[in-house]
Amino acid sequence: MLRVEEAARALGIGRSLTYDLIRSGRLRSFKVGSRRLIPASAIDEAINTLTEEAA
């Protein structure tokens, strides 16, 4: 599990763009209490989705 900041770093994007991807449904996440967590596998899924959209 990655925090939003860690996911942003892994994707090479900023924190606000990471939240935009979460809101749009292109990056899976869930909340535990007040924390938003992203499964590590969701990073690869998001990269694949964004690559397909760009093609």
Side-chain angles (χ1 to χ4, degrees):
M1 294 300 143
L2 303 170
R3 294 181 319 223
V4 172
E5 294 79 10
E6 294 168 327
R9 217 171 315 131
L11 289 166
I13 60 177
R15 192 170 157 263
S16 60
L17 182 52
T18 303
Y19 278 112
D20 287 344
L21 291 174
I22 291 168
R23 275 191 290 278
S24 70
R26 291 186 273 173
L27 181 60
R28 276 188 306 118
S29 70
F30 60 93
K31 287 191 83 169
V32 176
S34 62
R35 294 179 58 179
R36 171 96 26 209
L37 297 174
I38 296 103
S41 61
I43 300 296
D44 291 332
E45 292 169 11
I47 291 170
N48 290 335
T49 299
L50 294 170
T51 302
E52 289 172 8
E53 288 176 2

